[in-house]
Amino acid sequence: MTDEQRDQREEREREVREGRGKVGGVAVGRFSGGAIATGDGSRAEDRSERVGQGTEPGSGPVAVPQSVPEDGGVAVGEMSGGAVATGPDAEAVYASRQLLSATPELLAAVRLLRQQLPLLARAEGDGLDRCDGQLAELEEEVVRTGRAERGRLVRLRALLTGGATTAGGLASAIAVVQAISGLLG
């Protein structure tokens, strides 16, 4: 922090103590990870890695805040990860990754599909190299950590179901998609 930033922060704090500065409010119905900051000089950051078996279901209804707190505050009904910041110097960073515990069925399906890809006739634009690259990265991640990044699974499922590769029609590709869908929920 520079001397100028330190001086600005001290001035803001002095204004708040003397009742001249704005103070934000926060109202949250359910909060399971993430960061919220409010007021002048705010900063919020969430860089967590979440490990789990897929989506975490809520535990019943969420009481949604009826009004936004004064002075530009924050009202959230339900928040699972993310970052919110308000104020003139606000900054919000969200860089978390959700890691899902990979199943043996997913790894077996990925390996089988990778074994079958070289048997397909190659043509320009068939997407097979891209598909093989994505599968290889997923296989390496699962073998190394026992987990798979949610985003990687979403991208691979889209590749196999979106018609971007000729591999999508193979039974082994369908098995990969089903295993991914089981993890993603």
Side-chain angles (χ1 to χ4, degrees):
M1 180 180 290
T2 67
D3 289 339
E4 182 180 342
Q5 290 171 325
R6 190 173 298 110
D7 291 344
Q8 289 173 349
R9 183 176 184 168
E10 288 173 5
E11 178 60 27
R12 285 191 301 268
E13 290 171 355
R14 188 173 21 263
E15 288 175 354
V16 169
R17 281 192 308 273
E18 296 171 0
R20 296 181 290 131
K22 291 185 174 184
V23 179
V26 176
V28 178
R30 180 182 298 137
F31 188 77
S32 61
I36 296 176
T38 184
D40 292 340
S42 291
R43 187 176 188 313
E45 182 170 343
D46 177 354
R47 292 187 186 269
S48 62
E49 285 194 359
R50 298 169 183 227
V51 178
Q53 288 290 340
T55 57
E56 298 174 14
S59 58
V62 175
V64 178
Q66 296 299 311
S67 63
V68 176
E70 292 186 30
D71 293 329
V74 177
V76 177
E78 182 169 7
M79 184 170 172
S80 178
V84 177
T86 65
D89 298 323
E91 178 181 340
V93 176
Y94 178 70
S96 69
R97 299 182 318 151
Q98 185 177 18
L99 303 172
L100 304 175
S101 297
T103 62
E105 293 80 16
L106 173 64
L107 185 57
V110 166
R111 286 179 169 162
L112 179 59
L113 179 55
R114 289 198 68 215
Q115 289 172 356
Q116 292 178 348
L117 289 180
L119 303 175
L120 296 175
R122 298 287 176 140
E124 189 171 331
D126 61 13
L128 294 176
D129 290 336
R130 181 172 170 214
C131 182
D132 189 41
Q134 292 287 321
L135 290 165
E137 290 175 10
L138 175 59
E139 181 179 5
E140 188 275 327
E141 181 180 30
V142 170
V143 167
R144 185 174 41 85
T145 68
R147 300 181 186 108
E149 185 185 359
R150 180 180 196 78
R152 180 187 310 278
L153 295 173
V154 169
R155 288 187 302 274
L156 182 57
R157 180 173 64 179
L159 177 65
L160 292 172
T161 60
T165 178
T166 57
L170 294 173
S172 56
I174 294 169
V176 170
V177 169
Q178 288 173 338
I180 289 172
S181 296
L183 285 174
L184 295 177

